[in-house]
Amino acid sequence: MLLKALAALHAACDIERDEIFVVDNGSTDDSPEQVAAAFPPVHLIRNPCNNGFARACNQAITVASGEFVLLLNNDAFLAPDAIERFEAVFRTQPRAAVVAGQLFGTDGQPQHSAVHTTVVPDRPDFGLLRRRPRASQQIDGLTEVESVIGACMAVRAAAIRDAGSLDNDFFFYFEEIEWCHRMRVHGWKILVEPAAHITHLKGASTRTLRVGAQIEALRSRLIFYRKTMSPMRAFGLSAYRVLRLLLISFPAQLCLVILTLGLARRIRERFIVYAARLAWLLCGRPERWGLPDKCPGNYPGQPMAPSPDKKRKL
């Protein structure tokens, strides 16, 4: 999957002027060696452990020299003209901080490329009075949005210098939403250019780690509330999420498991996810729970673990 993503990226790049970085978060296979062999121009940053999505991206952002930076998941495959389309938007929209393209599944069906956030005062997230509006899967024409999906996002380096890099307190999930929110607070625009096409496998990296990934998602959601909202609203939303899980979601999944005698695989797997998230909350939100092989000290508020390639000039 990584090699396929790099092949598509390589075809979309002008190798004479573009830099490509791969940050390896302590993978246990030989993927770094395969990357080095197949794509010699790629700059490898190898971490001995899992440094998280935001911190790993920031490692590359720190050493990248381009006017624009493209963050790309290893399960996202660019169309050959995507980078040119991103750059064209930046050239014509001087206040554009982030530009994303239209995501498509392997079946050719459009996926959500943008999301509504919970940071706008007139858009409540309680789910009691009305359903929050969802962004359309298919976007027509260049559109300003609140946040984009982080599978593929082009970012203006000047906006990063102004608003800061990704927040290291987010290990996985919600980091791009908080970043887009921060960019907008600083007066920048978040745009989607649907003419730039990206094929996205959607969750391929965490498919075998669903329980840990969902714990990370809940942890990041609560961090997002705390960082972007007033203390009272953040507390209210956090309490609502916890109570809904405790009083509604978990009991409902437990009933389904009992009714199906635990024989339905999807229902059983969903119940395990809810049970793990509830256990994480009841055990005091242990920092070590979630995705495996985290770098020592890689928890909210603590410094980033150094990469062994940190001193290397790229």
Side-chain angles (χ1 to χ4, degrees), residues 8 57 89 106 158 181 217-218 250 268 270 273 314:
C57 287
V89 174
T106 54
H181 164 62
L218 180 56
F250 176 75
R268 187 173 65 249
R270 192 160 54 240
V273 168
L314 301 178

Side-chain angles (χ1 to χ4, degrees), residues 107-250:
D107 58 358
Q109 293 301 307
Q111 298 176 358
H112 287 291
S113 300
V115 294
H116 292 293
T117 71
T118 59
V119 298
V120 181
D122 62 352
R123 186 169 284 119
D125 188 41
F126 290 99
L128 299 174
L129 301 179
R130 63 184 178 92
R131 187 182 297 275
R132 280 188 301 144
R134 297 189 67 188
S136 172
Q137 288 184 310
Q138 181 69 60
I139 294 178
D140 297 321
L142 184 65
T143 304
E144 185 172 358
V145 297
E146 293 178 7
S147 177
V148 300
I149 300 295
C152 176
M153 53 193 301
V155 189
R156 190 187 298 270
I160 298 175
R161 291 192 293 270
D162 179 34
S165 294
L166 289 160
D167 191 324
N168 289 334
D169 283 354
F170 293 92
F171 185 79
F172 197 49
Y173 296 117
F174 280 85
E175 59 281 301
E176 81 271 37
I177 301 178
E178 189 279 334
W179 206 20
C180 289
H181 164 62
R182 193 167 4 117
M183 294 286 191
R184 293 171 63 221
V185 168
H186 280 74
W188 295 92
K189 293 182 178 180
I190 313 299
L191 301 173
V192 172
E193 171 52 277
H197 290 190
I198 303 97
T199 300
H200 182 218
L201 299 188
K202 199 173 184 179
S205 297
T206 58
R207 196 159 290 150
T208 60
L209 300 166
R210 189 181 176 198
V211 172
Q214 288 302 308
I215 289 175
E216 297 292 354
L218 180 56
R219 187 202 320 273
S220 292
R221 179 183 289 277
L222 299 180
I223 293 174
F224 174 76
Y225 289 161
R226 174 170 55 83
K227 284 180 174 285
T228 62
M229 301 176 184
S230 67
M232 182 172 293
R233 189 176 184 207
F235 174 80
L237 286 174
S238 298
Y240 165 68
R241 286 284 169 181
V242 172
L243 290 174
R244 188 174 73 171
L245 176 61
L246 179 64
L247 302 178
I248 301 175
S249 301
F250 176 75

